[in-house]
Structures are given as C-alpha cells and as structure tokens.
Amino acid sequence: MMRTLYVKIIAMTIAIMVVSTVIAFVVSNIYYQYYLKPENDQKVTEVAQNIVAVFEENKDDDVRGYLNAMAHLGYTIYLVDPSGNGETYGESLRSYELNGDHLEQVLAGDIYHGIANLPRKFFVTGFFNHELRNTVGVPIMIDGEMHALFVRPNTVQQFGEMRIFLALIVVFSLIFSFILVLMSTRLIVNPIQKLTEATRKIAAGNYHIKLNVHQHDEIGRLANDFSKMSNRLGLVEEKRQEFVSNVSHEIQSPLTSIQGFSQALREEDLSEDEKVRYLTIIEKESRRLSLLSKQLLTLSALDHDLDDDQKLSFHLLDQLNEVISSVEWQWQEKEIVIEMDISVRELYGDPQLLHQVWLNLLTNAIRYNKPGGMITIKTIAHKENIDIIFQDTGLGIAKDDIPQLFDRFYKVDKARTRTESSTGLGLSIVKKVIELHGGTIMVQSELGQGSMFTVTLPKQMN
C-alpha cells in the first residue's frame, strides 16, 4: 500500500521529534555523567568542608543546633559517631545503606565522594537518589573524637540544579530536530529537483530522460508519470519527424513525375499517343497531389473536438446509398456485388465526417477485392452501441500489418497502392473521425479470405 506524501511528512515529523528527544536525552545524560555530576559533587564537597570549617572555628557551638541551622539552608545532613550511630538533620534519607569501608574511610580522615562515584545509569537518577550513598562525606572533630559528616542537597535545591539539565535537553532537542528536518527535507526535495532538471531538458528538446526516483508516494508516482510522459513525447516527436518525411516524400513523388513529363512534352518530338499518355499521367499525379492535400487538411481539422452544432441525427441508409452510388463505376467495373442489411435507421453525429468514413471503407473494400467478389454492409444494434460492418471477399491483410493499418502513410502493398492513387491516409482519417464520435474500429482479416471492418458508435454521443 503506497504511503501518501501527507502521511509520510506526518510520520517523518513524529519520527524527528522522537529521535531528536532521544538523542538530546542521551547527550544530556552523557553531559550529566561526565560534567554535571562531578561538578555537583565538588559543590557539595565545598559546602560540607565549609560546614566543618565554621564549626571548628566556633568549638563552643552546640553541634546539634548548628547542624539543624545548616539543614534549614537546603541540605540533608547525617552525622555518624565513632561507634557507628547516626543522626539526621533536615529531610530524612530514603536509605541509610552505606558500605562499611566508606564509613571507615571518612572516620579515618578521608573524603567520601558518593555523588561523583554513584554507579552510572542511563537515566539521571543521581539527581534524585536521596540516599546515604549519594552524599559527600567529610571528617569532623567533635569533642575530641572523629565523626563522619555526610551532606547532600535536599529536593528543593535539586530541582534548582535540574533546571540546567532540562534546559540542556530542550537546547539539544532543538539542535537535533533542526538537523534532522534539514536532512529529511533534502530527501523530499531531491526528487523534485530531479524533476525540475528533467523539465528543463524536455524544454530543450531532449525527451530521452530516465529518472532514478524509487519512492512510493505522490512524488514517486509523479516521477513515474513524468517518465511515461517523456517517452510519449519522444514517440510523438519521432512520429512528427516521420510524418514530415512521409509528407515530403508523398508530395515530391507526384511533383517529380509532373515535372519530368512536362519537360518531356516541351522538349521532345512526341507522337499524339505519347502526348496523350504523358498528359494522362500528369493529370493522375495532379489528382493524387490534390487528394493528398485534401486529406492532410482533413487530418489537421480533425485535431479539434467536434462542435455541438456539427452533431445531429441523420438517416444512415440514405447516406450509405449515396456513398455506394458515388463509387458505382468502381465496383461495377470489377463486377462486385454489394449487399446491405441495415436494421439501424438513425445515427447521431457529424454526417459529413461519417460520410467520409463510409466512403473510405467502401473504396478500400472495392480496391482490394477480387473481380466478381462481394461486399456486405450491415448493422447490429446493441443496448448502448451500434455496429456498422464492412465485409469483403478480397485479398485480406497479413497479421503483421494489422497493428499498423491505421498509422498515417502506412501502406500494406506500397508498390500496388502507388498505382492506385493511394496516400496511406484514408484509414487514419477513418480512425480519427470514429474516435471523435466516441467510437472504435476493429479489423478481422486473413490473407486470401477477405477483411471485416467493424465500426462501433454510441447511440447517443455525450
């Protein structure tokens, strides 16, 4: 299932937010473990040493009153005597577990750095572990005996320290979000830039473009459709060049004949029969040139949609009878029999253009039929469509020729059609007219068995 660009952007935005937050949290934890925690330990150590220094300067002070006063400044204080008995000043600790070696270490005059040496964890629990092992311990002399004084900030002060950490998370989240947005935007924009560059190439006439875009969203489909469009434009350009070449060839051939025979009539001493033959050829080539010009104009006119005022209902049988009469000399000359079975009386469309369709189909059926052959014209009515069928008993068409039969200037038998004044545009005109009427044309044929052209038109055009 293809993801839409909308869903992709939402998913990418959420992913960026999550990834940025995780990265920022990890980086902030690293910052806490390697910088903030040792710094916090150093601060608490200085506070503990100051508490001891002040007390030792005022030896007459009541130790309990003094430590209570210090606790009110935002600290939890735990005092342990040489016997291991302890007393808490300020907020109680959640746990009083402590390795005996650490206690002995402080009583021996060393400093215990419990905050800095707290085992590292992924989460910054060190700020909130209100336990004895997460304190700083310093030796203090009371009444001539060495005691151990453990100090740590209370919860209120911890939150003050935590603001720095939270600020770091926000800052790092913004930085990483910005970087990831830039990277993800680049991924989205990159195929669009490729499409822009491809558009410039097409505008310059280069239609052979391959886009390496493998996305499955709207941009991927756009790139795929763009490639198809480029290929179609390339084919259209090839067809255009081929069309121009064919037109030039078809025009040049009769012009060359006319020019040659005209020069012969002017320069050579010819008999009357030769003059008549040359003039007949000139006349025939002139007619073929005129027919070519007319059909090219017809094709050009068919590039536009039909106007509503061109479409109307007309009597099909009358039109077919008119077409048959117009080429009577051709089918009578070959002694061809024409049979009609017309059950559909009315058609809706452009009578003039459809007249050209019937004329072209009937002319082809006569031209490629055998002497004494037969042509059958019949109609079949369906629920929404009408079939008009032209069937002959002629030479037939090879299977390899059928797919190209409606291409402009395509001729099944080029040598034969040259002598028959064919331009290769008749069936192209037929197909174009039928498509303008919303219909189709199908061909069934076998060599030596004749051909059947089936025109399908809607009963009523939209």
Side-chain angles (χ1 to χ4, degrees):
M1 182 177 180
M2 290 189 177
R3 294 177 297 172
T4 64
L5 188 60
Y6 177 74
V7 173
K8 188 174 182 179
I9 291 175
I10 290 178
M12 190 172 293
T13 302
I14 294 174
I16 287 173
M17 292 171 64
V18 172
V19 172
S20 298
T21 302
V22 170
I23 293 175
F25 194 76
V26 170
V27 172
S28 299
N29 268 276
I30 294 172
Y31 175 81
Y32 162 75
Q33 297 290 348
Y34 289 96
Y35 177 76
L36 198 57
K37 190 167 70 167
E39 184 182 41
N40 188 39
D41 184 274
Q42 183 180 356
K43 288 180 181 179
V44 176
T45 301
E46 291 176 359
V47 169
Q49 288 175 335
N50 287 334
I51 291 174
V52 172
V54 171
F55 176 75
E56 290 180 348
E57 288 178 4
N58 302 276
K59 294 183 178 181
D60 296 334
D61 288 349
D62 177 30
V63 65
R64 289 183 176 82
Y66 174 71
L67 293 179
N68 277 322
M70 293 297 101
H72 288 151
L73 296 177
Y75 296 94
T76 295
I77 299 174
Y78 185 66
L79 181 65
V80 181
D81 62 23
S83 300
N85 300 315
E87 187 176 359
T88 304
Y89 301 89
E91 185 179 350
S92 297
L93 297 170
R94 284 201 299 267
S95 172
Y96 289 89
E97 293 183 7
L98 184 66
N99 190 302
D101 293 338
H102 293 155
L103 178 59
E104 293 297 329
Q105 173 187 341
V106 178
L107 291 174
D110 293 330
I111 298 176
Y112 168 67
H113 294 280
I115 295 177
N117 297 326
L118 188 72
R120 293 174 181 173
K121 295 183 180 180
F122 181 74
F123 298 106
V124 286
T125 55
F127 266 100
F128 304 102
N129 280 355
H130 201 60
E131 302 173 354
L132 182 57
R133 65 191 184 115
N134 192 27
T135 61
V136 171
V138 293
I140 182 171
M141 186 69 68
I142 302 176
D143 297 331
E145 293 183 326
M146 186 66 72
H147 290 62
L149 184 71
F150 296 91
V151 180
R152 66 163 282 101
N154 60 24
T155 306
V156 175
Q157 186 163 332
Q158 278 184 292
F159 275 109
E161 298 280 349
M162 194 64 180
R163 286 181 299 180
I164 300 174
F165 182 76
L166 294 174
L168 287 172
I169 291 180
V170 172
V171 171
F172 283 128
S173 294
L174 290 174
I175 292 173
F176 287 114
S177 295
F178 180 71
I179 293 173
L180 291 173
V181 166
L182 287 178
M183 293 172 61
S184 62
T185 304
R186 183 66 180 174
L187 292 175
I188 295 175
V189 170
N190 188 50
I192 297 177
Q193 290 178 333
K194 290 182 179 179
L195 285 171
T196 303
E197 182 62 27
T199 303
R200 293 195 188 99
K201 291 180 179 179
I202 286 181
N206 180 11
Y207 303 107
H208 302 286
I209 297 172
K210 185 176 181 181
L211 292 172
N212 294 319
V213 177
H214 305 290
Q215 295 178 213
H216 300 286
D217 51 23
E218 285 89 343
I219 293 179
R221 291 195 292 271
L222 176 61
N224 185 47
D225 292 341
F226 190 92
S227 297
K228 291 179 180 178
M229 181 196 71
S230 175
N231 292 334
R232 288 297 300 269
L233 286 174
L235 291 175
V236 169
E237 177 63 18
E238 291 177 5
K239 289 286 185 182
R240 185 190 68 82
Q241 294 177 358
E242 182 182 355
F243 178 76
V244 172
S245 176
N246 288 332
V247 169
S248 301
H249 177 73
E250 293 294 332
I251 292 176
Q252 187 63 35
S253 180
L255 285 177
T256 301
S257 297
I258 292 171
Q259 182 181 5
F261 286 110
S262 297
Q263 188 175 357
L265 284 170
R266 185 179 61 190
E267 296 178 355
E268 297 182 13
D269 187 13
L270 304 172
S271 64
E272 197 64 30
D273 290 340
E274 287 177 321
K275 289 180 181 180
V276 171
R277 186 169 71 87
Y278 286 3
L279 288 171
T280 301
I281 294 173
I282 291 173
E283 182 183 8
K284 182 179 178 181
E285 293 298 311
S286 298
R287 286 178 180 173
R288 192 159 74 88
L289 193 59
S290 176
L291 176 63
L292 175 63
S293 175
K294 179 181 177 182
Q295 290 183 330
L296 286 173
L297 289 173
T298 301
L299 278 174
S300 176
L302 293 177
D303 286 336
H304 307 286
D305 293 334
L306 293 176
D307 295 330
D308 290 336
D309 56 1
Q310 295 177 263
K311 298 176 288 187
L312 50 88
S313 294
F314 63 92
H315 202 278
L316 177 60
L317 181 59
D318 290 346
Q319 190 178 69
L320 289 173
N321 284 326
E322 181 182 341
V323 170
I324 292 171
S325 298
S326 67
V327 293
E328 183 176 353
W329 66 273
Q330 296 182 30
W331 54 267
Q332 283 189 351
E333 185 181 26
K334 297 182 72 170
E335 298 179 351
I336 293 173
V337 176
I338 298 179
E339 292 185 353
M340 288 201 298
D341 180 12
I342 308 300
S343 58
V344 177
R345 300 297 177 182
E346 297 288 331
L347 268 187
Y348 182 77
D350 186 325
Q352 190 174 10
L353 292 179
L354 289 174
H355 182 281
Q356 184 68 44
V357 169
W358 317 138
L359 180 62
N360 288 359
L361 291 176
L362 183 58
T363 301
N364 281 348
I366 296 170
R367 178 180 298 156
Y368 301 109
N369 213 330
K370 302 172 183 177
M374 179 179 290
I375 297 174
T376 302
I377 305 174
K378 62 180 179 180
T379 60
I380 301 175
H382 301 284
K383 185 176 180 180
E384 297 181 353
N385 301 319
I386 299 169
D387 290 342
I388 303 94
I389 301 171
F390 284 73
Q391 187 171 7
D392 63 67
T393 58
L395 304 176
I397 305 168
K399 289 184 179 180
D400 293 340
D401 290 320
I402 291 177
Q404 300 168 301
L405 200 60
F406 297 98
D407 292 347
R408 296 178 182 183
F409 296 108
Y410 185 78
K411 299 174 184 179
V412 175
D413 186 348
K414 296 177 174 58
R416 178 179 174 85
T417 54
R418 177 73 65 194
T419 62
E420 296 286 350
S421 300
S422 172
T423 63
L425 294 174
L427 289 178
S428 296
I429 293 174
V430 167
K431 186 173 185 291
K432 188 65 177 179
V433 170
I434 293 171
E435 288 176 347
L436 286 174
H437 284 78
T440 58
I441 181 168
M442 301 291 293
V443 183
Q444 292 177 283
S445 183
E446 291 185 16
L447 286 175
Q449 301 297 320
S451 305
M452 183 173 71
F453 288 77
T454 302
V455 176
T456 302
L457 293 173
K459 287 185 177 180
Q460 183 74 29
M461 291 179 62
N462 295 326

